[in-house]
Amino acid sequence: MPKPRSKRQAIREERKKKRQQDEVAPDEPIQTSKRRRRNEDSNDTGDQAPAFEDGYEQSQAAGGLLPTEREFFGMLSDQEQEYFRSVDEQLDLDNFPSQEERQLFLASVFAEAQGKELKLACSQSCSRLMERLILMSNTRQKKKLFEQFGGHFLNLVQHRFASHCCETLFLQSAPIVTRELGGERDDMPAEDEDPDEKPLPFMEELFLLTLDELEGRLSFLLTDRFASHTLRVLLLILSGRPLDQAQTKSLVHSKKKEKISAPWKFNNETEVDSHLRAVPNSFNLATKKIISDTVSGMSPTELRVLATHPTGNPVLQLLLELDITLNSKSADESGEIILLWHLLPGAPASLKDAASPASDFINSMLYDAIGSRLLETLIVHCPGKVFKVLYKHILEPRMHSLLRNDIACYPAICILKRLSKEDLVGVVKQTIPEFGKLVNLSRFNVIKALLERCQARQAYDEVKALTKQLVEECGDGPKSLVPRLCLPPSAKSDGEKQHEPLAKNRSALVSHGSHLVTAMLAIPESPRKAAQTSISALSEEQVLELATSSAPTSHVIVDALSTPAQNKIFHKALVAALRPHIMELANSEHGNKVLSAIITVPSRSEGISLPFHIKESIMTELGEHEQELRDSFIGRRIWRNWKGDLWRNRRVEWIAWAKEVDSAPEQNIPNRQPRPGIPGQRPKPNGAHYDNPNSIQVDSKGWKESNNKKRGNRGKT
């Protein structure tokens, strides 16, 4: 009878099988690669992914397209990493005697990095250095980087670190396209380079070659975690839109995007980045082709899924905006198929039917946290004929309920910006009976939009009605307006039940409430008066909390200081409440903005009055703590804004600078010539300082106190 197998024997047999598998395994990739290469050679279909190096995994993507196999470009040696780390440190120090020395150092770094560009871009420790080198590089160096990255862009844009390098390269190269379009070229070879070297192509050609590499893969790049950001950058560049707008940055970059800075740039393109750019016609055609290729292969269901996808939704927003912008003149169903008509089939006629796919799409996106963002873009940019039907048949009957919802209120605010005066008045009439719900739900952004749009459409009666309702709902008269909007109670720690929106996000509520108060200060008559009355009634502690607690609340005080008031002592009382806490403001991250705004308040102006002696007393206290201010970055900013060095060294000039607003009205007074007359008597000088007992006179010997101060009120003897 055979002996039963023990546990130890089973382990030995398992190890033996593993050794046998390891001996056979090295021969398998060779057979697999040969078989794969034979299959690819025999298959000529265009939908098949191209052949890449062997030994990499392949995964199936949406739409039946295969993404590229990940390439491995190698790793930097320890000596190379140490060299590039030292380069990064030298760039931080920026101890170069001249710009020419900087350019020579940068050229030597690029020479050392030649052939290692792909390794640098994919390195976790050196990819930031590559971004800085791109920021500082000239046109010729950027074009050479394009050539080195060429053929690998499909892999690079999907890489965690290299995708950021591609974004920086694209953004920094966009202005070069505009310059070359005007006939300007600055990519000629240097003196130490071979003059017979083949000339570099135009930047337009390099961008188009990059698009050729990505063609056919856009369907899965839309939802790729890293490539989607690069694709948005490319779309912005192709469309010629500004690259430096706040709205553009939020659409392209995530909130976690690290800001890479450089000690200098080869060419400062700030003006170009903030304005529309001229782009060649080929870029417009490429943008239309991207939209067509992306959308044509998607069914309505796939588009709806993409609209609610966290990564795909921002790209779809940009595609929709560019689609409407580029095809606005030919936006007709009979024309070429565009994204707008894919999202709203049969529009605008189909929007009249509540059961149509277009109406169903609008209803499904209204209350979706991600899809509502696409709906905002659609509302803002859709043609007028589509918006009129959309508003009349779907949105108008329930505007009052949309404005109350925490998600649907954002598309509703976009709707308010496109309404005529008559439609806007109708929305206000729907909203006023339920205005208390807006205040209880803390929909301060909705109230702000209503006030601003009514003021813009000159619906002044509605502005007064909204202000009256807001004051009534906030509590006991105007005094409780600012505390209710800007100073909500903190979260309770004793387990007591908290109001849901307040417990959810207090900072967002404070921000929205502060923006509402700021908007009220900017609107004359009743809104401004209500806001200023409430600010005047605040206690000293509440004013200090507004000035130092957060950036939005500090802007309330800053705007209040620069807004005219019917109450002549409004600005003086506001500064008087802050006067005992000057050093606390000077050392506060947010309060220093309020302190810097005090010195800009004029002492004599229409509706704004702050006596000069208050500014002088504040400056005296700041001077007593000069060293403390100089020891911190925020303190140095205050000392610089108040011109502390001028106050300490040239007091008369500081007084003249602080009073320059006061002297403006006197410039209109004609200069009266003294009466010729009594021999030996000096003419009486013009100017307010002569009759001022506290004035200071300056002569060739220096400055001295006025004789009026010594004589007092007795006059001449």
Side-chain angles (χ1 to χ4, degrees):
M1 186 174 181
K3 189 176 180 180
R5 188 173 63 173
S6 63
K7 183 177 182 181
R8 184 175 298 176
Q9 185 178 0
I11 294 174
R12 285 197 298 268
E13 290 179 0
E14 190 174 4
R15 289 177 179 173
K16 185 177 179 181
K17 288 181 181 179
K18 285 186 178 180
R19 285 196 300 269
Q20 292 176 353
Q21 291 175 359
D22 293 337
E23 293 173 358
V24 178
D27 297 331
E28 291 181 356
I30 300 176
Q31 299 175 359
T32 307
S33 63
K34 291 181 179 179
R35 192 182 312 117
R36 182 188 302 164
R37 193 164 289 140
R38 284 197 302 269
N39 293 337
E40 290 173 348
D41 292 339
S42 61
N43 191 357
D44 295 330
T45 58
D47 295 334
Q48 192 73 17
F52 294 97
E53 296 178 9
D54 302 321
Y56 300 94
E57 297 180 358
Q58 232 175 9
S59 60
Q60 187 75 18
L65 291 176
L66 293 172
T68 176
E69 298 175 346
R70 298 302 171 91
E71 293 181 274
F72 180 66
F73 305 108
M75 298 178 64
L76 295 169
S77 63
D78 294 340
Q79 294 82 2
E80 291 170 342
Q81 288 190 20
E82 185 63 30
Y83 168 76
F84 289 117
R85 191 178 296 112
S86 66
V87 168
D88 205 8
E89 293 175 357
Q90 293 183 51
L91 292 177
D92 283 331
L93 295 175
D94 194 20
N95 291 330
F96 299 100
S98 63
Q99 183 64 24
E100 184 179 358
E101 292 291 332
R102 291 189 179 113
Q103 295 297 337
L104 291 175
F105 175 75
L106 189 62
S108 65
V109 174
F110 271 101
E112 182 66 28
Q114 190 172 4
K116 309 181 186 72
E117 294 88 351
L118 296 172
K119 295 180 183 179
L120 281 169
C122 297
S123 171
Q124 181 177 3
S125 59
C126 297
S127 61
R128 294 179 181 86
L129 173 62
M130 174 58 76
E131 290 189 64
R132 301 183 75 181
L133 294 176
I134 293 172
L135 290 172
M136 297 180 288
S137 61
N138 56 31
T139 302
R140 187 172 182 82
Q141 291 163 343
K142 289 185 179 71
K143 289 186 176 182
K144 287 189 174 182
L145 275 178
F146 256 102
E147 292 183 341
Q148 291 295 325
F149 287 178
H152 308 284
F153 274 113
L154 193 55
N155 287 275
L156 294 176
V157 298
Q158 299 176 79
H159 195 275
R160 178 182 178 183
F161 307 115
S163 61
H164 296 286
C165 297
C166 292
E167 290 179 32
T168 306
L169 180 60
F170 294 156
L171 288 172
Q172 296 300 315
S173 302
I176 301 175
V177 178
T178 305
R179 293 203 304 266
E180 291 183 347
L181 195 61
E184 178 185 349
R185 292 202 68 172
D186 54 354
D187 59 350
M188 295 298 106
E191 296 179 357
D192 56 345
E193 296 183 4
D194 185 9
D196 298 331
E197 185 180 354
K198 182 180 177 182
L200 295 173
F202 286 93
M203 190 60 76
E204 174 189 355
E205 299 176 17
L206 295 173
F207 271 107
L208 294 177
L209 289 174
T210 303
L211 293 176
D212 290 341
E213 292 187 42
L214 304 180
E215 187 178 3
R217 300 292 185 272
L218 298 176
S219 58
F220 68 84
L221 292 180
L222 287 173
T223 55
D224 186 85
R225 181 182 178 185
F226 305 112
S228 63
H229 296 278
T230 312
L231 186 58
R232 297 174 215 172
V233 170
L234 274 175
L235 288 171
L236 285 177
I237 293 171
L238 294 176
S239 63
R241 286 185 52 181
L243 305 175
D244 200 27
Q245 288 184 342
Q247 182 181 3
T248 300
K249 288 183 178 180
S250 63
L251 187 63
V252 173
H253 303 305
S254 65
K255 295 180 180 179
K256 299 179 181 178
K257 170 70 175 177
E258 180 182 357
K259 182 176 177 59
I260 303 296
S261 60
W264 79 89
K265 289 187 179 182
F266 174 72
N267 199 348
N268 194 359
E269 302 288 347
T270 305
E271 295 183 358
V272 179
D273 291 346
S274 58
H275 295 84
L276 290 173
R277 294 171 293 104
V279 294
N281 189 39
S282 59
F283 278 18
N284 292 329
L285 296 176
T287 306
K288 292 182 180 180
K289 189 175 188 307
I290 290 175
I291 297 172
S292 176
D293 293 347
T294 304
V295 178
S296 60
M298 289 188 181
S299 64
T301 304
E302 291 173 336
L303 272 178
R304 184 170 296 191
V305 171
L306 188 64
T308 56
H309 193 280
T311 308
N313 179 273
V315 189
L316 200 59
Q317 288 182 54
L318 188 56
L319 287 173
L320 179 61
E321 181 179 346
L322 297 178
D323 176 34
I324 297 174
T325 304
L326 295 176
N327 298 281
S328 58
K329 295 182 181 180
S330 61
D332 189 14
E333 283 185 286
S334 59
E336 59 179 306
I337 299 176
I338 56 177
L339 179 57
L340 178 63
W341 308 128
H342 268 73
L343 295 174
L344 303 177
S350 60
L351 293 172
K352 299 177 182 179
D353 183 9
S356 64
S359 300
D360 184 56
F361 175 80
I362 297 294
N363 293 326
S364 62
M365 294 296 111
L366 270 174
Y367 299 98
D368 188 88
I370 299 174
S372 61
R373 297 178 182 269
L374 178 65
L375 193 57
E376 291 178 43
T377 305
L378 191 149
I379 290 170
V380 171
H381 296 96
C382 69
K385 61 179 182 180
V386 176
F387 177 78
K388 289 178 182 178
V389 179
L390 173 64
Y391 177 72
K392 193 70 177 176
H393 293 273
I394 298 180
L395 303 174
E396 183 182 17
R398 45 179 177 165
M399 276 295 293
H400 60 287
S401 62
L402 295 178
L403 292 172
R404 293 198 309 267
N405 188 269
D406 59 339
I407 294 175
C409 67
Y410 292 100
I413 290 174
C414 295
I415 294 169
L416 294 176
K417 296 178 181 179
R418 293 195 65 170
L419 294 181
S420 62
K421 181 179 179 180
E422 293 74 15
D423 292 333
L424 188 61
V425 170
V427 173
V428 173
K429 290 181 179 179
Q430 288 184 25
T431 308
I432 284 182
E434 301 180 355
F435 199 85
K437 296 181 180 179
L438 291 179
V439 177
N440 293 332
L441 293 172
S442 301
R443 300 287 177 262
F444 304 138
N445 54 339
V446 173
I447 302 173
K448 171 178 174 288
L450 286 171
L451 285 171
E452 290 178 338
R453 294 314 302 165
C454 289
Q455 180 68 20
R457 295 295 186 186
Q458 300 180 358
Y460 302 125
D461 293 338
E462 281 67 30
V463 171
K464 294 180 181 179
L466 290 170
T467 305
K468 181 181 177 182
Q469 287 290 327
L470 177 61
V471 171
E472 290 178 357
E473 295 295 338
C474 285
D476 302 329
K479 296 182 180 180
S480 59
L481 177 66
V482 173
R484 172 68 176 85
L485 299 179
C486 304
L487 300 173
S490 302
K492 299 179 181 179
S493 57
D494 55 359
E496 192 174 332
K497 190 174 181 181
Q498 186 87 358
H499 191 251
E500 184 179 355
L502 186 61
K504 189 175 181 180
N505 197 343
R506 184 179 184 273
S507 62
L509 299 182
V510 171
S511 177
H512 289 173
S514 302
H515 291 160
L516 174 56
V517 176
T518 303
M520 294 178 69
L521 288 170
I523 300 175
E525 303 298 334
S526 57
R528 179 181 297 173
K529 184 178 179 181
Q532 290 177 341
T533 303
S534 181
I535 293 174
S536 300
L538 295 176
S539 64
E540 185 177 309
E541 292 76 13
Q542 289 176 320
V543 174
L544 182 63
E545 184 179 356
L546 279 178
T548 58
S549 60
S550 65
T553 55
S554 65
H555 281 291
V556 171
I557 303 297
V558 171
D559 290 349
L561 289 172
S562 60
T563 304
Q566 295 179 354
N567 185 1
K568 295 182 179 181
I569 65 169
F570 171 73
H571 302 88
K572 180 180 178 180
L574 183 58
V575 176
L578 297 170
R579 179 64 186 84
H581 310 280
I582 291 301
M583 291 309 299
E584 186 175 350
L585 292 175
N587 295 314
S588 171
E589 179 184 1
H590 308 296
N592 72 90
K593 300 174 185 176
V594 176
L595 188 55
S596 298
I598 292 176
I599 191 60
T600 63
V601 179
S603 300
R604 298 179 185 177
S605 180
E606 186 66 28
I608 302 179
S609 177
L610 181 62
F612 171 73
H613 70 85
I614 296 180
K615 298 181 184 179
E616 196 171 21
S617 65
I618 293 175
M619 186 65 243
T620 303
E621 182 174 350
L622 293 176
E624 294 173 356
H625 299 83
E626 177 182 354
Q627 191 57 45
E628 180 183 348
L629 294 174
R630 289 185 179 276
D631 290 340
S632 66
F633 174 76
I634 297 176
R636 289 192 294 270
R637 181 192 299 167
I638 290 295
W639 188 257
R640 182 174 61 253
N641 292 340
W642 279 75
K643 294 189 181 294
D645 291 333
L646 186 65
W647 173 83
R648 184 188 59 191
N649 301 325
R650 300 191 295 274
R651 187 72 56 88
V652 178
E653 294 183 18
W654 184 87
I655 293 174
W657 168 76
K659 284 187 171 183
E660 62 182 0
V661 181
D662 299 345
S663 62
E666 297 175 2
Q667 294 176 359
N668 299 326
I669 301 175
N671 187 14
R672 298 179 181 177
Q673 298 295 333
R675 291 181 299 174
I678 307 172
Q681 182 178 357
R682 289 187 301 176
K684 183 177 179 180
N686 292 328
H689 66 275
Y690 182 80
D691 297 324
N692 186 359
N694 298 319
S695 65
I696 297 175
Q697 295 181 355
V698 182
D699 55 16
S700 59
K701 297 181 181 180
W703 63 275
K704 61 182 180 178
E705 293 181 348
S706 173
N707 291 330
N708 293 341
K709 187 174 182 180
K710 298 178 181 178
R711 289 194 296 265
N713 297 325
R714 290 180 294 175
K716 294 183 180 180
T717 58

